[in-house]
Amino acid sequence: AGYSHTTYLKSDGTVWAVGRNFKGELGDGTTTQSSNPVQVIDAGGVPLSNVSAISAGNSRTVYLKGDGTVWAVGWNDFGQLGDGTTTDRSNPVQVLDSLGNALSGVAAISAGNAHTVFLKYDGTVWATGRNYSGALGDGTTTDRSNPVQVVDALGNALNDVLMISAGDGQTVYLKSDGT
C-alpha cells in the first residue's frame, strides 16, 4: 500500500491497483481515481506481466519483473521513477541506468517517500530520487533521476547486502554479516 493507493500482485504476475490516481500511480494510463481495482498496463495498452514484487511509495509504485528488470509509475518530481526524467508517468516506464540501459540483475526493491532503492543479486545497492537528507547513500545530497550506487563512509561500494528498506528520507541495509 502506498500513500493513498493500494496495489495488488496476482499469482499470474499481473498487477491491479485502486485508490487515488493524482499522479498516475495506478498505472492504467489515466489520472482518474478508482474505487475498483484497475489493471496496470504499459503505454501500448498491454497488461504489465511477469511481475514478481511490488513496492508502493508516495503516489507511485515500483514493479520488479521476474527477469530482474524494474518498472515504475506515478509521481516523479525528484526522479524517483529512475527513468532519467522528472516527468510523472501514468503507465509504467523502465528504470534505466545513467547510460540509458535497462537496470537489470535486481533482486529486491523498496519505494520510500520520494526515493527508490534497488538491491542487485550481486549484493550491491542502487538508489534514485530525492536526496535532500542523503537517503540515496551516494555521499551527496543531490537528487538523481537515474540509479546511483550506494557507497559507505569511505566512498567504497556498499556490498554484501541482503535486504533493504526505504523510509521517508532514509534507507536501512542489512548486510550478510548481520550488521
Side-chain angles (χ1 to χ4, degrees):
Y3 177 70
S4 58
H5 72 291
T6 304
T7 310
Y8 308 94
L9 175 60
K10 292 182 72 175
S11 60
D12 66 0
T14 61
V15 183
W16 298 72
V18 65
R20 184 177 154 196
N21 199 22
F22 182 66
K23 297 287 188 173
E25 57 265 40
L26 298 187
D28 67 343
T30 75
T31 54
T32 304
Q33 180 173 306
S34 181
S35 58
N36 292 310
V38 294
Q39 190 163 19
V40 176
I41 57 174
D42 68 21
V46 177
L48 194 64
S49 62
N50 192 30
V51 176
S52 59
I54 54 177
S55 183
N58 184 2
S59 299
R60 75 183 192 294
T61 307
V62 183
Y63 315 96
L64 175 61
K65 289 188 138 194
D67 63 1
T69 61
V70 183
W71 299 73
V73 69
W75 179 47
N76 198 29
D77 286 1
F78 303 101
Q80 58 268 44
L81 298 186
D83 68 340
T85 76
T86 55
T87 304
D88 296 343
R89 306 293 183 167
S90 60
N91 292 106
V93 291
Q94 193 160 21
V95 175
L96 306 173
D97 66 21
S98 62
L99 300 175
N101 300 312
L103 187 68
S104 60
V106 177
I109 54 176
S110 185
N113 179 42
H115 72 292
T116 308
V117 183
F118 313 94
L119 172 61
K120 289 189 149 198
Y121 282 108
D122 65 4
T124 61
V125 182
W126 300 74
T128 190
R130 191 166 190 192
N131 199 21
Y132 66 94
S133 59
L136 301 187
D138 67 343
T140 76
T141 55
T142 304
D143 297 345
R144 309 289 183 168
S145 60
N146 291 105
V148 292
Q149 192 163 15
V150 174
V151 297
D152 65 20
L154 299 175
N156 300 312
L158 189 65
N159 56 29
D160 296 324
V161 175
L162 296 177
M163 296 175 73
I164 55 175
S165 184
D168 183 29
Q170 77 281 2
T171 307
V172 180
Y173 317 94
L174 175 63
K175 294 190 68 167
S176 62
D177 65 1
T179 59

